[in-house]
């Protein structure tokens, strides 16, 4: 795709301006005869070359930093003896004299010694194990601190070796320890990144600068970092203020993950581990049921390794991989409080005040989730010329999740006035019901990212170009694996009472038959009837293509100046489908659905899975009988008429979930770096321009497509004036297929934005740095804003019907923009043994969409679900031959809150149940077509 027209003139202007400025500097550098200095920097006592070592020539303005291979190069060094100074956090600074001859290149390799170590050749055999472990931790810490010290912007850099072993094996569990970063969890996994309160949709996540595909987050922009393995990464950078060469979509920051390089080491290094991982509340080495009916070991083995091999100075490779399997609990309780989060109606549920809520529904959930991760990453580094390096990288991962949870729900159904307090509820006779349900499935996510990068580090010019393609695919499966995704069994006509209620659960639950008053056992399937089952097999695909190039040059003006310009093109294609979602109703042999086993053939007891009932349910509940998802599917396959499903509902779900988006962001930037006051004050600023083009397809609803028309297109009408229908409304499927079209709405949107930015840092002392930044950024609207679909009104229907109106997302909504000022006071330690201390302040002025809409990514959920109290998920323990981690001690127990421990009187005077907050009311979608740029296309 060619560069968008609005951006092409700007790109050419930036490149011409850069060429003109650099030609002036080039003329000045040729005036005098000079020489050059080259070399590499190695850490004593290790095989690691050091990146970002500051190298300066005393008495001149020359300054540079070593690259990933530890190499540095000076051009235009005055002839004679040059004093070269090297500085790296945690190392003893070194200053040496180097003889420079006119037109010659002097080789000067340096080995830096750790601070406090006087003899790098000292005996390393003594206390070898202690020295090696400490060296690795100190090295990782020094890398991070050194990167932050010399960063051009506000940035946190952490080496992946710094925190040791990450049990879960993915990046999310590592990022949660970083300051300013908040991980958003999904299913117990640290999945999406929020920086300084900005939503995950507005946090760009890249892998070595290349866009990372994510298919698990549906149509949102958030990146699922739990799909990325950590053992193939060298370090992670979190930028809190962008420079012109960073995306303008970094509303409050961005994350970049750096893979390992072969030139990091001077000799081959292999690290690996084999371990067994288990949860602290499931320490069984023998196989037990869960998450399905089959038996599986809850202490599965795992391994990971990384291999860095520099074959010679010109070629090397890295190889990393791993496999890990773990089990996690799905325990949770949900309390629904009337008068404090859930509405009352004055009849079935009497009105009450917020200080006197009452419990109307209680649900307890248990179950297991099994996750398996496979990862493989490799890089090939080839230095084919003195100043040119080519790097080919591949990151691949596969994430599999098999999960099943069992939930038992008690509903009182109704309450009479006077039969409730915050500590007890007496349900109305025969209005209550019990629901026993399974919910689960299997999903597989595959992600891979091949990249190619070229770097030129010449004496005059520095250049970089790269191309990358990332693809992620998410599949959900159930029927083909031999089970339903969910099942439900129900018992109606019962009376439910809650007693001794505290913040977590009722201590006593009583269930009786509504007709006879005899007690019922809610934990036995003998008292339930099967009501339904379901399956869902979604498929999501995401593709990200990245192409960029930039050039850089130092200009020898009276003050050191570096100019950099570049182009960037990023394309994303998101495709969502769910073609086979089914909801089944159990009707049995008699063809009639029932909610009680009394007088029906829908009894749930024949489908009991005893394997799922071997262990007690969490939160103090006894063993509960559950319907087997595999047993019910086997019964359906043998008796296909005993469960029915709605073909019309299946079709409409398929159309609703079928969406396609394409987005291209083309960028050009010009960046300038200036150093003043003997390089104590550094300014980095410039301008970035981004042209965004979006095309999307979503569902179309048009009721008039079911009207009969004549050859000229006029609607045919009956004698009473009503339109004649092609299909009667009793044929729901045929009507839907005519009036509800898959991807029948097409939307296009484009906009251009400019992003000026300025970063400043001042060294008050060698280890005391003050930083400040001011920048403009943008938060692009959620992609569902474009692919949400269109509902057209029916001019022949009742105009007073509120449902008879156009419903459309505002595709013309402006991107959320922000103007941010950051300040940071950083104390950088001289040694890697001590952490850095940062004190930050942020001021942000946001400009969002009109008041009729919310900023993108802040759209509240429309699902009206009660707030829940979730049990603590205990972290896994690792048992390895080398090291054993002490298990976590968190587990869910049936305990009272500290308030309730003071006694019943204290609890009554100061009730502390978890009260449900009212779900946010979603804003009404804008109905004005003024800013709507969509074209409805029919079949």
């Amino acid at each position: 795709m060619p560069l968008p027209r609005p951006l092409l003139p700007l790109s050419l202007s930036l490149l011409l301006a850069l060429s003109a400025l650099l030609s002036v500097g080039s003329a000045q550098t040729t005036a005098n005869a000079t020489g050059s200095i080259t070399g590499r920097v190695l850490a004593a006592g290790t095989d690691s070359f050091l990146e970002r070592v500051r190298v300066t020539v005393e008495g001149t303005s020359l300054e540079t930093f070593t690259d990933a291979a530890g190499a540095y190069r000076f051009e235009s060094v005055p002839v004679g003896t040059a004093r070269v100074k090297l500085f790296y956090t945690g190392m003893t600074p070194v200053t040496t004299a180097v003889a420079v001859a006119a037109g010659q290149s002097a080789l000067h390799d340096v080995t830096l010694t750790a601070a406090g170590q006087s003899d790098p050749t000292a005996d390393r055999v003594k206390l070898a194990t202690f020295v090696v472990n400490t060296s690795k931790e100190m090295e990782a810490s020094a890398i991070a601190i050194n990167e932050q010290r010399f960063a051009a912007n506000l940035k946190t850099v952490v080496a992946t070796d710094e925190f040791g072993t990450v049990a879960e094996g993915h990046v999310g569990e590592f990022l949660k320890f970083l300051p300013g970063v908040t991980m958003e969890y999904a299913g117990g996994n640290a999945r999406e990144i929020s920086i300084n309160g900005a939503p995950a949709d507005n946090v760009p996540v890249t892998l070595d600068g290349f866009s990372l595909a994510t298919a698990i987050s549906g149509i949102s922009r958030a990146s699922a970092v739990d799909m990325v393995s950590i053992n193939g990464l060298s370090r992670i950078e979190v930028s809190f203020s962008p420079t012109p060469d960073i995306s303008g979509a970094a509303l409050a920051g961005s994350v970049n993950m750096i893979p390992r390089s072969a030139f990091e080491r001077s000799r081959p290094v292999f690290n690996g581990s084999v371990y067994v991982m288990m949860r602290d509340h499931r320490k069984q080495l023998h196989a037990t049921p869960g998450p399905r009916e089959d038996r599986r070991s809850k202490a599965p083995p795992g391994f990971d390794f990384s291999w860095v091999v520099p074959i010679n100075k010109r070629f090397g490779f890295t190889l990393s991989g791993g496999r890990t399997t773990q089990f996690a609990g799905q325990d949770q309780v949900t309390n629904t409080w009337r008068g404090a989060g859930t509405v009352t109606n004055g009849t079935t549920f009497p009105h009450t005040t917020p200080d006197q809520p009452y419990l109307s529904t209680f649900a307890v959930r248990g179950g297991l989730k099994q996750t398996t991760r496979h990862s493989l990453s490799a890089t090939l580094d080839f230095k084919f010329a003195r100043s040119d390096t080519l790097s080919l990288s591949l990151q691949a991962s596969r994430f599999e999740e098999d999960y099943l949870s069992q939930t038992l729900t008690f509903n009182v159904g109704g309450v009479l006035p006077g039969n409730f307090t915050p500590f007890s509820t007496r349900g109305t006779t025969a209005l209550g019901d019990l629901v026993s349900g399974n919910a689960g499935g299997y999903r597989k996510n595959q992600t891979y990212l091949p990249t190619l990068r070229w770097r030129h580090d010449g004496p005059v010019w520095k250049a970089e170009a790269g191309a990358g393609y990332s693809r992620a695919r998410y599949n959900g499966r159930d029927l083909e694996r031999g089970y339903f995704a969910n099942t439900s069994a129900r018992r109606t006509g019962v009376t439910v009472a809650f007693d001794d209620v505290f913040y977590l659960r009722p201590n006593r639950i009583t269930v009786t038959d509504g007709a006879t008053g005899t007690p019922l056992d809610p934990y036995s399937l003998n008292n339930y009837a099967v009501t339904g089952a379901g399956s869902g097999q979604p498929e999501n695909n995401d593709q990200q293509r990245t192409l960029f190039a930039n050039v850089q040059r130092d200009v020898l003006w009276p003050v050191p100046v570096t100019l950099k310009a570049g182009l960037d093109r990023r394309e994303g294609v998101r495709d969502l489908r769910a073609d086979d979602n089914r909801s089944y109703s159990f009707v049995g042999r008699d063809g009639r659905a029932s909610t009680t086993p009394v007088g029906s053939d829908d009894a749930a007891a024949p489908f009991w899975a005893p394997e799922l009932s071997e262990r007690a349910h969490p939160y103090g509940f006894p063993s509960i009988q559950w319907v087997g998802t595999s047993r019910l599917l086997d019964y359906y396959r043998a008796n296909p008429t005993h469960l029915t499903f709605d073909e019309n509902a299946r079709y409409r779900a398929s159309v609703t979930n079928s969406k396609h988006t394409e987005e291209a962001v083309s960028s050009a930037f010009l960046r300038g770096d200036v150093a003043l006051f003997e390089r104590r004050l550094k300014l980095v600023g410039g301008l970035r321009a981004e042209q965004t083009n979006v095309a999307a397809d979503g569902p179309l609803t048009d009721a008039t497509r079911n009207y009969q028309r004549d050859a000229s297109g006029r609607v045919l009408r009956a004698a009473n004036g009503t339109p004649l229908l092609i299909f009667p409304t009793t044929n729901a499927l045929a009507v839907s297929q005519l009036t509800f079209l898959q991807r029948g709405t097409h939307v296009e949107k484009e906009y251009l934005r400019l992003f000026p930015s300025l970063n400043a840092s001042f060294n008050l002392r060698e280890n005391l740095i003050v930083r400040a930044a001011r920048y403009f950024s943008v938060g692009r609207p959620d992609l569902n804003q474009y692919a949400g679909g269109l509902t057209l009104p029916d001019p022949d229907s009742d105009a007073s019907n509120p449902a008879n109106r156009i419903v459309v997302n505002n595709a013309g909504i402006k991107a959320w923009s922000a103007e941010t000022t950051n300040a940071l006071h950083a104390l950088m330690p001289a040694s890697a043994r001590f952490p850095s201390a940062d004190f930050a302040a942020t001021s942000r002025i946001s400009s969002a969409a009109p008041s009729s809409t919310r900023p993108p990514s802040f759209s509240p959920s429309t699902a009206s679900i009660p707030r829940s109290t979730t049990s603590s998920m205990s972290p896994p323990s690792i048992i390895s031959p080398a090291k054993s981690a002490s298990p976590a001690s968190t587990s869910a127990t049936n305990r009272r809150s500290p308030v309730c421990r003071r006694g019943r009187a204290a609890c009554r005077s100061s009730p502390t149940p978890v009260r449900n907050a009212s779900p946010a009311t979603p804003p009404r979608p804008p109905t004005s077509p003024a800013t709507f740029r969509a074209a409805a296309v029919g079949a």
Side-chain angles (χ1 to χ4, degrees):
M1 186 180 293
L3 199 65
R5 290 183 179 179
L7 199 57
L8 185 58
L10 179 60
S11 304
L12 294 176
S13 300
L14 290 175
L15 293 177
L16 289 174
L18 179 67
S19 300
L21 288 171
L22 295 182
S23 64
V24 176
S26 179
Q28 293 179 357
T29 59
T30 58
N32 300 316
T34 57
S36 62
I37 303 175
T38 61
R40 301 181 77 182
V41 182
L42 182 71
T46 72
D47 300 313
S48 301
F49 289 107
L50 296 177
E51 184 180 4
R52 297 289 292 175
V53 178
R54 185 179 64 184
V55 188
T56 57
V57 178
E58 293 184 349
T60 72
S61 61
L62 297 175
E63 181 187 58
T64 190
F65 292 88
T66 56
D67 60 17
Y72 71 94
R73 182 182 182 88
F74 280 122
E75 294 294 330
S76 304
V77 182
V79 173
T81 301
R83 293 185 58 80
V84 179
K85 182 178 181 180
L86 294 90
F87 177 87
Y88 189 85
T89 300
M91 299 289 182
T92 302
V94 173
T95 302
T96 54
V98 180
V100 180
Q104 300 295 317
S105 178
L107 178 63
H108 183 55
D109 293 335
V110 181
T111 298
L112 293 183
T113 304
Q117 180 180 337
S118 59
D119 184 9
T121 64
D123 183 10
R124 302 175 199 166
V125 176
K126 185 178 180 180
L127 297 179
T129 302
F130 176 83
V131 171
V132 170
N133 290 340
T134 304
S135 173
K136 184 178 179 181
E137 295 171 2
M138 291 302 102
E139 178 186 349
S141 179
I143 291 173
I145 296 172
N146 199 71
E147 281 282 342
Q148 291 179 223
R149 181 192 298 272
F150 299 118
N153 56 342
L154 279 68
K155 178 189 292 187
T156 295
V157 183
V158 182
T160 55
D161 291 334
E162 189 168 353
F163 291 140
T165 302
V166 177
E168 287 80 357
H170 64 85
V171 175
E173 288 296 324
F174 180 83
L175 284 168
K176 69 181 183 182
F177 296 109
L178 302 188
V181 175
T182 302
M183 297 305 302
E184 299 181 1
Y185 284 74
N189 297 325
R191 176 158 299 161
E192 299 172 352
I193 305 172
S194 172
I195 296 181
N196 286 339
D201 280 0
N202 303 118
V203 178
V205 178
T206 56
L207 187 60
D208 201 20
F210 297 94
S211 297
L212 179 67
T214 296
I216 205 169
S217 299
I219 203 72
S220 74
R221 296 180 179 275
S223 296
V225 295
D226 61 332
M227 300 295 111
V228 181
S229 175
I230 196 172
N231 65 339
L233 302 178
S234 173
R235 64 183 183 275
I236 297 175
E237 303 174 343
V238 181
S239 297
F240 297 98
S241 64
T243 54
D245 48 349
I246 296 178
S247 170
L251 195 63
S254 60
V255 176
N256 186 34
M257 298 173 284
I258 309 298
R260 300 184 187 276
S261 169
F263 295 144
E264 292 178 355
R265 301 283 183 172
S266 61
R267 295 186 302 177
V269 176
F270 180 87
N271 292 311
S273 61
V274 178
Y275 51 83
V276 171
M277 182 162 55
M278 66 179 69
R279 293 281 168 174
D280 66 340
H281 64 300
R282 291 183 182 274
K283 299 175 182 175
Q284 301 106 341
L285 295 179
H286 61 281
T288 58
R292 304 285 165 186
E293 289 105 288
D294 60 317
R295 296 181 179 274
R296 307 177 190 180
S297 172
K298 302 306 182 294
F303 72 91
D304 64 72
F305 71 92
S306 64
W307 192 22
V308 181
V309 185
I311 295 178
N312 52 46
K313 291 185 177 181
R314 288 186 170 272
F315 179 72
F317 68 89
T318 70
L319 185 65
S320 302
R323 182 186 188 276
T324 179
T325 300
Q326 63 172 306
F327 292 82
Q330 302 287 284
D331 304 343
Q332 179 177 312
V333 292
T334 303
N335 298 280
T336 303
W337 293 89
R338 297 283 172 171
T342 304
V343 298
T344 55
N345 54 23
T347 54
T348 309
F349 294 102
H351 295 309
T352 186
T353 56
D355 63 330
Q356 292 292 314
Y358 55 93
L359 187 66
S360 62
T361 299
F362 172 76
V364 57
R365 186 183 78 182
L368 277 179
K369 175 181 65 176
Q370 177 183 350
T371 58
T372 302
R373 302 176 188 275
H374 302 81
S375 64
L376 179 66
S377 60
T379 59
L380 297 176
D381 296 315
F382 177 46
K383 194 169 186 177
F384 61 92
R386 178 180 179 181
S387 303
D388 297 89
T389 303
L390 198 63
S391 296
L392 177 64
S393 175
L394 173 65
Q395 304 284 332
S397 65
R398 186 175 71 185
F399 171 87
E400 297 175 85
E401 186 173 77
D402 189 5
Y403 59 102
L404 182 65
S405 62
Q406 299 86 32
T407 304
L408 180 58
T409 304
F410 302 82
N411 296 303
V412 299
V415 183
L416 294 176
N419 279 357
F420 63 85
T421 71
F423 307 99
S424 65
T425 305
R426 294 283 185 273
T428 304
T429 302
L431 289 187
D433 71 300
L434 307 172
V435 180
S436 172
N438 290 305
Y442 168 84
R443 70 183 187 195
K444 179 172 66 175
N445 185 285
Q446 295 173 295
T447 305
Y448 62 88
L449 173 59
T451 64
L452 180 65
R453 182 188 290 269
W454 164 72
R455 290 185 178 92
H456 174 78
D457 189 8
V460 178
W461 293 90
K462 299 184 189 308
E464 188 177 27
Y469 173 77
S470 179
R471 179 166 184 175
R473 183 180 181 184
Y474 163 73
N475 299 94
R477 294 291 182 264
D478 44 50
L479 297 181
E480 65 186 38
R481 295 180 63 86
Y483 49 78
F484 280 118
N486 55 76
T487 64
S488 63
R490 192 178 178 195
R491 175 63 183 264
T492 56
V494 299
T495 305
V496 178
F498 301 132
D499 288 292
D500 196 14
V501 181
F502 69 114
Y503 81 99
L504 186 63
R505 51 155 290 186
N507 266 330
R508 186 169 65 256
I509 303 175
T510 305
V511 181
T512 58
D513 186 277
T516 65
T518 58
L520 287 179
D521 183 1
Y523 312 121
S524 172
L525 282 181
N526 291 323
N527 297 314
Y528 290 83
V530 178
T531 56
S535 69
Q537 304 188 59
E539 180 175 333
N540 300 342
N541 289 274
D542 184 24
Q543 301 176 61
Q544 298 288 331
R545 292 184 284 268
T546 306
L547 183 65
F548 65 86
N550 57 72
V551 293
Q552 175 182 321
R553 161 131 192 215
D554 294 332
V555 182
L556 296 180
W557 286 346
V559 294
V561 176
T562 301
L563 295 178
K564 182 178 181 181
L567 301 175
D568 189 291
R569 171 79 171 184
R570 296 175 188 265
E571 298 178 355
V573 179
R574 188 70 62 89
D575 190 271
L576 277 68
R577 293 185 183 274
D579 295 332
D580 199 16
N581 286 350
R582 302 188 184 190
S583 295
Y584 296 83
S585 297
F586 192 94
V587 296
R589 296 182 182 85
D590 59 5
R592 294 184 297 107
S594 177
T595 58
T596 175
V598 180
S600 73
D601 62 352
D602 303 338
F607 307 106
W608 173 41
E611 299 85 356
L612 298 179
S613 306
E614 287 189 7
R615 75 180 186 97
H617 218 51
Y619 301 104
F621 283 83
S623 175
I624 303 175
Q625 295 182 355
W626 303 101
V627 171
T629 56
S630 298
R631 285 173 169 78
L632 188 57
L633 178 60
D634 292 340
Y635 177 85
Y636 168 64
R637 288 172 172 170
N639 306 275
T641 60
H642 293 186
L643 282 88
T644 63
F645 69 91
D646 187 345
E647 280 284 5
N648 181 51
R650 175 189 178 190
Y651 171 80
R652 297 189 71 86
S654 173
V655 173
T656 300
N657 295 314
S658 179
K659 299 176 181 180
H660 181 84
T661 64
E662 297 183 12
E663 183 179 60
V665 180
S666 305
S667 311
F669 70 88
L670 178 62
R671 166 179 163 174
D673 297 35
V674 180
L676 304 171
F677 304 114
E678 297 181 350
R679 297 186 180 272
R680 294 179 64 190
L681 174 62
K682 295 184 178 181
L683 304 176
V684 179
L687 179 67
R688 183 181 182 90
E690 293 187 353
Q691 168 73 23
T692 304
N693 295 77
V694 183
D697 300 287
L700 171 66
T701 302
D702 184 2
T704 64
R705 293 176 62 87
N706 192 35
Y707 294 166
Q708 298 183 27
R709 301 176 185 271
D710 59 19
S712 62
R714 291 191 298 268
V715 176
L716 300 179
R717 302 180 182 275
N720 60 0
T722 59
L724 295 176
L725 302 180
I726 299 175
F727 292 103
T729 55
T730 55
N731 191 345
L733 177 60
V735 172
S736 292
Q737 290 173 337
L738 267 183
T739 62
F740 192 42
L741 305 182
Q742 180 172 281
R743 301 185 180 182
T745 303
H746 182 72
V747 176
E748 293 184 356
K749 172 69 175 178
E750 65 171 304
Y751 51 94
L752 174 67
R753 294 289 185 271
L754 301 179
F755 304 99
S757 64
L758 177 63
N759 285 268
S761 64
F762 185 76
N763 285 48
L764 296 176
R765 295 199 306 268
E766 183 68 31
N767 296 323
L768 187 60
I769 304 174
V770 176
R771 300 182 186 271
R774 184 172 179 82
Y775 63 93
F776 291 78
S777 57
V778 68
R780 293 187 172 89
D782 192 286
L783 292 172
N784 202 52
Q785 194 73 29
Y786 309 109
L790 168 67
T791 298
L792 296 176
D794 182 1
D796 289 288
S797 295
D798 184 7
S800 63
N801 183 2
N804 187 28
R805 62 183 61 183
I806 186 172
V807 179
V808 59
N809 287 343
N810 184 5
I813 190 173
K814 291 184 178 181
W816 183 17
S817 60
E819 180 180 347
T820 306
T821 301
N822 283 338
L824 177 69
H825 182 198
L827 177 61
M828 312 301 298
S831 171
R833 291 180 173 84
F834 303 99
S836 60
D838 297 340
F839 305 91
T842 301
S843 172
R844 181 174 295 113
I845 302 175
S846 299
S847 175
S851 57
S852 61
T853 61
R854 289 179 178 262
S857 303
F858 275 110
S859 302
S861 171
T862 58
S864 180
I865 59 176
R867 186 176 176 182
S868 62
T869 304
T870 308
S871 69
S872 299
M873 293 298 181
S874 40
S877 305
I878 295 182
I879 302 175
S880 64
K883 185 177 181 180
S884 175
S886 55
S889 59
T890 57
S891 61
T893 57
N894 184 8
R895 297 180 299 183
R896 295 184 180 274
S897 67
V899 174
C900 288
R901 289 175 184 172
R902 295 178 298 175
R904 173 61 67 187
C907 291
R908 291 185 183 275
S909 62
S910 179
T912 58
V914 178
R915 299 176 182 177
N916 307 339
S918 300
T921 303
R924 172 178 288 182
T927 56
S928 172
T931 57
F932 177 66
R933 300 182 59 194
V937 293

